[in-house]
Amino acid sequence: MSIEVNKLVVHYVDKHDEDTQIHLREDEMQVNEKVNVFIEQLHHAYNGKPGKGYCAFSGEKNSQVSAAMQSYRNNELGFWHFTQQATEVLKEELNKYAFNEVGYLVFCHYQYVATDYVLIALINIKEHYSINSELDLSASRHLDISRMQLAARVDLTAWDTQPDDARYISFIKGRAGRKVADFFLDFLGCEEGIDPKQQSQVMLNAVEDYLSEQQFNKQEKDTLRKEVFDYCNDCVASGEDANIESLSETLSKSSDSPFEDFYKDQGYDLAESFPVDKKTVSTMVKFSGLGGGVSVGFERKHLGERVIYDARNDTLTIKGIPPNLKDQLQRFYEESE
């Protein structure tokens, strides 16, 4: 197991008569194998969340959380007392935004691959039903980790080594139409920094321009796109940034002109390393869209061969329909006749 848990505290957040109520655990949770497995699951679930934002602590915002966290790191404040102070700030912000959020508030200090993290997550509860041996219905509650929407993670290592980088804190932006991003920025006392979606799009533009300039054939381009996508996908899974050096190694294997030199010469507004937006980079290898009751998706390498696009007539022609779709269509027409 690559996760090493140092500290874990869990409190409970409830809502009563429009007021947020906090039920504090009295001490730190003892770290054991069960705790390690739980945090590992939480870590991977957090990494897999799409659409995260990145930010840094700001001196122009409420600094209570950052000050308490720094005091903990300086051994001036116990971890439990840090969570207590942070939870009070969370309570104020929840009341300010009138969010109807309840659940378990998890604070964890852990290491993963030589990096120090503090993860703060409000995890909702889900009812689980089963039938017991007497054939009666029984109910139990469990943490709905996969659906967590209120969570942020501080990269303590980056905070120490790159405090001016403005992206050592990540947070889940949340569902559309909710001010979850604003809420977590105010709670942590942060200013949003680098935009993963914008940086991923600039990277895609640079890669496409590079592939065109190198005059690779279609198969070579498709192969390199897939390798770049796989690299970016691995970055998303591990929670690490993509970096230009690794991209250049992937793209420049068959060329004497390194991608790293190309992107600098052309002046792309792209950081040396950046968090990846998975949905954006997926367009490198796949076309997809939906509307008017029709959903279409196919691998990019098939365009011009198995899939023909006629822009003038606004049509797609698909050669070799997927077997399961073909079977459904044949059965439908047979039943109609």
Side-chain angles (χ1 to χ4, degrees):
M1 183 180 293
S2 53
I3 294 284
E4 182 180 344
V5 179
N6 288 348
K7 304 282 186 178
L8 176 64
V9 173
V10 179
H11 304 305
Y12 186 67
V13 179
D14 201 358
K15 200 83 172 179
H16 183 69
D17 293 335
E18 301 304 318
D19 289 326
T20 301
Q21 295 186 348
I22 303 295
H23 304 276
L24 296 174
R25 178 185 168 89
E26 295 181 353
D27 54 6
E28 296 176 15
M29 193 173 293
Q30 183 178 356
V31 177
N32 52 32
E33 184 63 21
K34 191 180 297 183
V35 164
N36 281 316
V37 171
F38 167 63
I39 296 302
E40 184 168 36
Q41 291 180 358
L42 194 59
H43 169 83
H44 289 300
Y46 181 84
N47 282 350
K49 282 289 182 179
K52 286 193 283 289
Y54 291 80
C55 57
F57 291 124
S58 171
E60 298 180 0
K61 291 198 170 186
N62 189 333
S63 61
Q64 287 178 266
V65 173
S66 61
M69 191 178 299
Q70 190 61 62
S71 293
Y72 159 66
R73 301 186 67 204
N74 294 338
N75 296 317
E76 300 165 353
L77 191 69
F79 188 74
W80 183 90
H81 289 93
F82 151 63
T83 70
Q84 178 196 30
Q85 292 184 22
T87 302
E88 290 300 326
V89 178
L90 181 83
K91 176 182 177 180
E92 294 174 9
E93 294 299 328
L94 281 172
N95 285 331
K96 185 187 303 182
Y97 282 88
F99 284 161
N100 189 28
E101 297 288 345
V102 299
Y104 291 96
L105 184 60
V106 177
F107 291 86
C108 185
H109 177 196
Y110 69 96
Q111 281 86 38
Y112 176 74
V113 192
T115 301
D116 247 345
Y117 293 109
V118 166
L119 177 66
I120 305 172
L122 182 60
I123 304 178
N124 300 122
I125 304 159
K126 186 176 182 180
E127 294 286 344
H128 175 75
Y129 295 93
S130 61
I131 303 294
N132 59 28
S133 58
E134 285 76 33
L135 302 182
D136 289 327
L137 188 67
S138 61
S140 60
R141 309 169 87 194
H142 71 268
L143 300 176
D144 199 2
I145 294 176
S146 64
R147 298 198 177 197
M148 65 176 167
Q149 291 293 326
L150 298 177
R153 186 172 66 188
V154 183
D155 183 333
L156 301 178
T157 304
W159 188 15
D160 283 339
T161 59
Q162 300 170 301
D164 298 327
D165 205 18
R167 53 176 169 153
Y168 52 81
I169 301 173
S170 62
F171 62 98
I172 299 174
K173 285 198 170 186
R175 297 182 290 270
R178 301 185 64 191
K179 293 186 177 180
V180 177
D182 294 339
F183 162 73
F184 251 92
L185 289 178
D186 288 345
F187 160 57
L188 294 169
C190 293
E191 293 272 0
E192 191 163 5
I194 195 167
D195 184 344
K197 185 175 292 186
Q198 181 267 342
Q199 285 287 284
S200 296
Q201 186 59 58
V202 173
M203 183 270 291
L204 292 189
N205 295 341
V207 167
E208 287 301 320
D209 291 345
Y210 174 78
L211 293 177
S212 296
E213 183 171 287
Q214 297 305 305
Q215 298 181 341
F216 294 120
N217 62 40
K218 183 180 184 302
Q219 184 176 354
E220 289 172 328
K221 288 181 180 180
D222 287 337
T223 299
L224 288 171
R225 288 189 188 104
K226 181 63 166 60
E227 290 179 2
V228 170
F229 172 75
D230 289 342
Y231 165 70
C232 291
N233 206 29
D234 288 342
C235 290
V236 172
S238 64
E240 298 177 355
D241 284 0
N243 66 76
I244 296 299
E245 183 179 353
S246 296
L247 283 169
S248 187
E249 290 175 359
T250 300
L251 284 166
S252 311
K253 291 181 295 187
S254 303
S255 173
D256 295 329
S257 176
F259 173 75
E260 190 169 5
D261 294 342
F262 172 81
Y263 110 95
K264 289 179 179 178
D265 292 342
Q266 298 299 318
Y268 292 98
D269 186 17
L270 185 62
E272 289 282 342
S273 64
F274 54 91
V276 175
D277 180 71
K278 184 174 182 178
K279 187 175 181 179
T280 301
V281 298
S282 67
T283 61
M284 179 174 285
V285 294
K286 186 176 182 179
F287 290 112
S288 63
L290 58 88
V294 176
S295 176
V296 179
F298 57 91
E299 293 181 20
R300 182 171 182 153
K301 64 183 180 182
H302 295 313
L303 186 63
E305 297 176 354
R306 283 187 60 192
V307 182
I308 310 298
Y309 174 50
D310 184 341
R312 178 176 297 178
N313 296 313
D314 194 28
T315 60
L316 275 180
T317 302
I318 302 174
K319 299 178 181 179
I321 299 173
N324 56 346
L325 176 58
K326 184 176 181 179
D327 179 61
Q328 293 175 59
L329 293 172
Q330 288 176 337
R331 283 191 285 110
F332 172 78
Y333 282 106
E334 287 173 0
E335 292 170 0
S336 299
E337 292 173 359

